[in-house]
């Protein structure tokens, strides 16, 4: 009998753990969480992860042989240190090595977008709508823009550990400066804050993304309509790069911006204008797992 799969999703405010029976049975044996308390520093975060594992052992009566960990950045495959983490205490730290020493078992790490893509492949909308899919690209469009690649059910991290990081490809200069040091990145154009900045640039008023979408739907705010039409246009242009390079079977779109219905219609039509093909066959789907994707995907890392 195979060992249950243990996963931990390391977030900025919460650390969540789950134990699932197998890839064929994702019904959790246990699911629990504690506060990250990241402001107390790197060593404290390590301690919190260890505390969560102890709680999981006590509550389940099980012992892990390996643990998958979803992280807010990536482990550099050469240097074996963390990078690109918005939880900045992790950057430059040997998280995998330190966790393995603390827990006494092997750990597999992947960033949150890869975990999202992996979970939706094995247990979510890909399993439901396209179970034959070999290559899945998972998009997260929210406060930032990220992506993950799953090939034959396995995460593709890449030589630099940045496989799927389409959010920092150049898209359009109108996006302006990006925190990464470049300008006009996909993230500056398609993220929630990017859309809000664009609306403010043409109105002088800062609105929430929810309000911009509502105003567009009501049809009485020309700037809101313009903002969403721009989103649809550039969504297609940005996704055409993914499609031309990887030609995935399925693209799953998560994050708050992924809830905007028009990207699945007008955004898809925009993709048709930019793709190096005379039609669009790739399925572009909304995810089905909600906030379960991160921790489930972490568990799937050790399947």
């Amino acid at each position: 009998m195979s060992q249950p799969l243990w996963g931990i999703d390391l977030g900025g405010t919460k650390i969540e753990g789950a134990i699932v029976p197998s890839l064929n049975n994702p019904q959790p044996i246990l699911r629990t969480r504690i506060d990250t308390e990241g402001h107390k520093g790197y060593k404290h975060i390590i301690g919190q992860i260890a505390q969560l594992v102890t709680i999981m052992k006590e509550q389940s009566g099980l012992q892990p042989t390996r643990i998958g960990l979803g992280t807010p950045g990536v482990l550099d495959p050469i240097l074996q240190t963390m990078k690109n983490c918005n939880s900045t205490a992790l950057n430059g730290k040997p998280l995998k090595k330190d966790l393995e020493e603390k827990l006494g078992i092997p750990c597999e790490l992947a960033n949150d977008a890869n975990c999202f893509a992996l979970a939706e492949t094995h247990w979510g909308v890909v399993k439901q709508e396209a179970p034959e899919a070999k290559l899945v690209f998972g998009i997260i469009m929210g406060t930032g823009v990220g992506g993950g690649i799953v090939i034959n059910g396995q995460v593709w991290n890449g030589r630099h550990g940045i496989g799927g990081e389409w959010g920092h490809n150049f898209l359009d200069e109108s996006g302006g400066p990006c925190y990464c040091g470049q300008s006009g990145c996909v993230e500056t154009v398609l993220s929630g804050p990017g859309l809000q900045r664009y609306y403010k640039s043409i109105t002088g008023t800062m609105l929430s993304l929810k309000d911009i979408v509502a105003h567009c739907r009501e049809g009485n705010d020309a700037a809101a309509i313009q903002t969403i039409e721009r989103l649809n246009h550039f969504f297609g242009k940005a996704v055409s790069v993914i499609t031309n390079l990887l030609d995935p079977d399925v693209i799953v779109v998560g994050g708050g911006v992924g809830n905007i219905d028009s990207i699945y219609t007008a955004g898809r039509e925009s993709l048709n204008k930019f793709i190096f093909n005379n039609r669009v066959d790739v399925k572009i789907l909304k995810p089905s797992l909600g906030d379960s994707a991160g921790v489930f995907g972490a568990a799937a890392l050790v399947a």
Side-chain angles (χ1 to χ4, degrees):
M1 184 176 175
S2 62
Q3 291 284 328
L5 308 177
W6 290 56
I8 291 176
D9 183 23
L10 175 57
T13 57
K14 301 283 185 185
I15 309 172
E16 183 172 14
I19 307 171
V20 299
S22 70
L23 277 184
N24 296 322
N25 180 8
Q27 191 61 38
I29 296 168
L30 172 75
R31 192 170 174 185
T32 189
R33 59 173 58 182
I34 63 173
D35 292 337
T36 307
E37 297 178 350
H39 62 282
K40 295 183 180 179
Y42 174 69
K43 288 185 178 179
H44 187 77
I45 294 172
I46 295 284
Q48 289 296 92
I49 295 170
Q51 181 184 335
L52 178 62
V53 172
T54 298
I55 293 168
M56 293 168 70
K57 290 176 182 178
E58 291 171 351
Q59 291 184 355
S60 69
L62 299 171
Q63 293 286 330
T65 56
R66 293 195 302 159
I67 290 182
L69 189 81
T71 65
V74 298
L75 182 74
D76 189 299
I78 306 299
L79 301 178
Q80 289 296 298
T81 53
M82 298 300 294
K83 63 183 179 183
N84 304 339
C85 300
N86 51 20
S87 296
T88 55
L90 300 174
N91 286 323
K93 298 295 195 299
L95 180 62
K96 176 178 164 69
K97 173 177 175 289
D98 290 344
L99 274 177
E100 289 180 338
E101 288 179 358
K102 184 79 171 177
L103 300 175
I105 54 173
C107 297
E108 295 295 329
L109 275 59
N111 75 15
D112 49 6
N114 282 327
C115 290
F116 162 77
L118 194 60
E120 290 293 344
T121 297
H122 286 297
W123 296 311
V125 71
V126 179
K127 182 79 168 179
Q128 298 155 13
E129 301 288 337
E132 77 292 345
K134 300 286 195 296
L135 200 161
V136 176
F137 194 92
I139 287 173
I140 295 180
M141 293 197 304
T143 304
V145 172
I149 303 168
V150 173
I151 302 173
N152 294 325
Q154 300 290 319
V155 166
W156 179 261
N157 287 306
R159 179 62 176 168
H160 303 91
I162 58 171
E165 287 291 358
W166 74 303
H168 296 283
N169 288 342
F170 176 80
L171 180 55
D172 190 75
E173 198 60 56
S174 66
C178 182
Y179 78 89
C180 74
Q182 305 300 321
S183 184
C185 291
V186 170
E187 182 167 304
T188 66
V189 179
L190 297 183
S191 67
L195 296 171
Q196 291 172 299
R197 282 194 304 271
Y198 179 76
Y199 181 87
K200 184 179 180 183
S201 75
I202 54 178
T203 65
T205 302
M206 180 64 81
L207 277 189
S208 70
L209 181 58
K210 182 179 178 181
D211 286 340
I212 293 170
V213 173
H215 287 202
C216 176
R217 191 181 300 116
E218 291 160 6
N220 56 9
D221 183 339
I225 294 169
Q226 185 177 328
T227 300
I228 300 304
E229 286 179 346
R230 177 176 176 269
L231 162 66
N232 297 332
H233 168 79
F234 280 120
F235 174 82
K237 189 171 186 178
V239 171
S240 74
V241 177
I242 297 168
T243 310
N244 287 346
L245 282 174
L246 294 176
D247 203 6
D249 298 300
V250 178
I251 296 173
V252 186
V253 188
V257 178
N259 291 323
I260 299 174
D261 290 337
S262 63
I263 65 174
Y264 302 94
T265 52
R268 187 183 181 90
E269 290 169 12
S270 173
L271 172 59
N272 201 33
K273 297 174 186 173
F274 293 106
I275 188 178
F276 186 55
N277 202 46
N278 60 5
R279 66 184 190 280
V280 174
D281 293 331
V282 59
K283 292 186 177 182
I284 303 177
L285 303 173
K286 289 185 177 182
S288 66
L289 294 175
D291 64 3
S292 300
V295 73
F296 280 20
L301 291 172
V302 293

